[in-house]
Amino acid sequence: MTGWDISPFEADGLRVSALRPPVLPEPRRHGEDPADCDECRSRDEGIWLNDRWRLARIPGVGVPLVLMLYPRDHYDMADLPDKLAAELGVLTTHIVRHVQALPHISRAHVYRIGDGSAHLHVWFFARPEGQTQLYGSWLPVWDDLLPEYPANVADADATAVADALIASYGGRRSDADGQMHL
């Protein structure tokens, strides 16, 4: 993949890690027990909330904006009730539209990984306009390599997305600061 012109790495000197043997049983993910789930304890925090969902801004990133969408109750993707699954699709589309409406953003990338936490969390990464080297699946890697994006600009962008989401989908602002604290 380093031959792809959007790779953040030069091919010379990189080696592929050896594939380790499987670990069975797999380690438990954070929040397997809802009583120990940080996302459940943070159910009222975010830049936007409704009765079933919350949206938070992830601070300290290199791209202009990273948001995380969570159900407010403890669900993972596989056990999400059909009504919430349908809402997830519509809500994801609204968030993408609002992120891409920001004047300096070209695309909103959406990711669901699921290995670190048992509480569903969907990532939204904003790719800055004109930064074609940040295309595609390398964007989260670039995000870790870039210097921190100015927090005041990310806060303003997050506020614009939250306001647009309230207008298009409903919901409200949170009383909390709206950032996920890592």
Side-chain angles (χ1 to χ4, degrees):
M1 291 185 69
T2 56
W4 196 6
D5 67 349
I6 62 173
S7 171
F9 304 107
E10 298 289 335
D12 293 339
L14 283 179
R15 294 181 311 161
V16 174
S17 297
L19 186 60
R20 294 183 294 265
V23 175
L24 297 173
E26 288 192 9
R28 292 175 55 84
R29 298 177 298 166
H30 173 75
E32 290 283 354
D33 179 353
D36 297 325
C37 180
D38 290 338
E39 287 79 15
C40 287
R41 283 190 290 277
S42 302
R43 71 183 316 270
D44 296 327
E45 297 174 12
I47 61 169
W48 172 90
L49 301 168
N50 73 10
D51 291 341
R52 295 165 302 282
W53 299 96
R54 71 181 185 97
L55 185 66
R57 182 177 84 75
I58 307 299
V61 298
V63 297
L65 187 62
V66 177
L67 303 174
M68 186 91 69
L69 179 66
Y70 307 87
R72 291 183 69 200
D73 293 330
H74 193 81
Y75 293 108
D76 199 355
M77 183 70 83
D79 53 55
L80 200 62
D82 287 349
K83 181 179 178 183
L84 286 180
E87 286 181 4
L88 175 60
V90 174
L91 187 52
T92 296
T93 300
H94 279 255
I95 295 167
V96 166
R97 285 177 188 152
H98 302 318
V99 170
Q100 289 182 182
L102 296 168
H104 52 283
I105 302 301
S106 282
R107 299 284 179 270
H109 294 207
V110 181
Y111 302 90
R112 186 278 182 168
I113 312 297
D115 284 328
S117 174
H119 194 119
L120 175 62
H121 53 290
V122 179
W123 297 81
F124 296 82
F125 282 78
R127 183 179 62 75
E129 186 173 35
Q131 291 291 322
T132 58
Q133 193 174 3
L134 306 184
Y135 274 2
S137 57
W138 282 113
L139 183 62
V141 177
W142 275 110
D143 175 61
D144 285 339
L145 299 172
L146 294 169
E148 186 174 336
Y149 198 79
N152 62 327
V153 179
D155 285 340
D157 287 346
T159 297
V161 170
D163 289 345
L165 192 56
I166 290 166
S168 72
Y169 194 83
R172 63 191 183 281
R173 296 268 192 108
S174 167
D175 293 333
D177 68 2
Q179 295 185 15
M180 178 180 171
H181 298 280
L182 303 173

